[in-house]
Amino acid sequence: MVKPVRSFTFLQHIRPRRIPVAALRFGATLCLGGISFLAFLITVGTGVLLLFHYEPGKQAYISVASMVSLAPYGGIIRSLHFWAAQGMVVTVLFHMARVVWHHAYRPPREKNWVIGVFLFLLTLILDFSGYLLRGDREGAGAAEIAQSLLRGLPGGAGLAALFLGSIELGHGSSLTLYVWHVFILPGVLLVLQLWHFWRVRRDGGVRAL
Ligand code: HEM
């Protein structure tokens, strides 16, 4: 039985003094948490590049179309952004399944499981918000459905305005949604991920079977 690491300095955190050998085996994690984080980094990196061309609002659709056909490497960068985001959703799901399979949600890791649930929800919301930013008819239709669903909740009209802003079918994307997608959601996701990694060590490292 390896004692949980109780030191919190940065260096001791990234280079803990003891790691159970079994926890280093590929089969212990299938590297799924790490791959999810890599997908997040690729999404952020390509997203920053997309910002140089994308215009929220009425010009959204045209700016995306011209980015793909005119901007250097625009199509590749947009595809990478899209597929890294979809990849992240899939690997987070598999990572969650791996945690369940290994019973790693049990004490002392239950707090990290709860952080993970928020990571999962945020990943889905971030993915969905990106779809709404395209400014095409499908995106606007999906935004309208999200708007109606939110409005069905108590205080939902306020929530819909806070998250979606004003969305009209066929009139591009909303500035409110853009701010959530580009700044707030990735920022919160990053902070939660760093907390998640810190908790892995705090709970004694990955559960070695
Ligand atoms: C942004 C999404 C996520 C990232 C980047 C991430 C990353 C990681 C990493 C790197 C590890 C250590 C290695 C590994 O197990 O692969 C880990 C462990 C863990 N994750 Fe996640 N994770 C995410 C989402 C989730 C979700 C959705 C859950 C569950 C709801 C979750 C629950 C856990 C738990 C309980 C551990 C400890 C596992 C153990 O000790 O065996 N994580 N995570």
Side-chain angles (χ1 to χ4, degrees), residues 13-61:
H13 174 71
I14 54 170
R15 285 188 66 93
R17 273 184 293 169
R18 287 191 212 172
I19 297 180
V21 175
L24 294 175
R25 275 187 304 110
F26 176 71
T29 61
L30 303 175
C31 222
L32 288 164
I35 297 173
S36 305
F37 187 56
L38 179 66
F40 172 76
L41 292 180
I42 296 174
T43 313
V44 170
T46 49
V48 169
L49 294 176
L50 293 182
L51 286 185
F52 287 102
H53 212 90
Y54 180 80
E55 283 181 55
K58 290 197 165 67
Q59 295 299 315
Y61 182 75

Side-chain angles (χ1 to χ4, degrees), residues 23 28-38 40 88 91-93 95-100 102-106 109-121 123 189 192-193 196-197 199-200 203-208:
T29 61
L30 303 175
C31 222
L32 288 164
I35 297 173
S36 305
F37 187 56
L38 179 66
F40 172 76
M88 184 172 170
T91 52
V92 168
L93 260 174
H95 171 59
M96 212 167 153
R98 195 285 296 169
V99 169
V100 173
H102 286 178
H103 297 162
Y105 51 83
R106 290 180 181 163
R109 296 175 177 81
E110 75 279 18
K111 284 197 193 110
N112 218 10
W113 170 262
V114 174
I115 297 173
V117 170
F118 282 102
L119 284 175
F120 176 57
L121 292 177
T123 304
L189 199 60
L192 271 186
Q193 282 175 105
H196 190 63
F197 303 155
R199 276 236 64 105
V200 172
D203 299 334
V206 169
R207 183 164 189 270

Side-chain angles (χ1 to χ4, degrees), residues 3-8 12 16-18 201-205:
K3 278 172 68 180
V5 179
R6 293 285 173 201
S7 52
F8 304 113
Q12 281 168 324
R17 273 184 293 169
R18 287 191 212 172
R201 289 272 181 263
R202 180 79 162 81
D203 299 334

Side-chain angles (χ1 to χ4, degrees), residues 40-161:
F40 172 76
L41 292 180
I42 296 174
T43 313
V44 170
T46 49
V48 169
L49 294 176
L50 293 182
L51 286 185
F52 287 102
H53 212 90
Y54 180 80
E55 283 181 55
K58 290 197 165 67
Q59 295 299 315
Y61 182 75
I62 293 173
S63 71
V64 172
S66 71
M67 172 199 311
V68 171
S69 50
L70 300 177
Y73 305 108
I76 289 182
I77 292 167
R78 185 184 172 208
S79 295
L80 261 178
H81 187 71
F82 175 80
W83 285 110
Q86 309 319 307
M88 184 172 170
V89 171
V90 173
T91 52
V92 168
L93 260 174
F94 280 121
H95 171 59
M96 212 167 153
R98 195 285 296 169
V99 169
V100 173
W101 182 253
H102 286 178
H103 297 162
Y105 51 83
R106 290 180 181 163
R109 296 175 177 81
E110 75 279 18
K111 284 197 193 110
N112 218 10
W113 170 262
V114 174
I115 297 173
V117 170
F118 282 102
L119 284 175
F120 176 57
L121 292 177
L122 275 174
T123 304
L124 291 186
I125 296 171
L126 193 59
D127 196 38
F128 183 63
S129 63
Y131 179 57
L132 306 187
L133 282 184
R134 289 173 169 185
D136 55 8
R137 293 189 75 80
E138 285 85 8
E144 281 204 320
I145 294 170
Q147 210 168 31
S148 327
L149 287 173
L150 279 177
R151 284 189 177 151
L153 298 172
L159 273 182

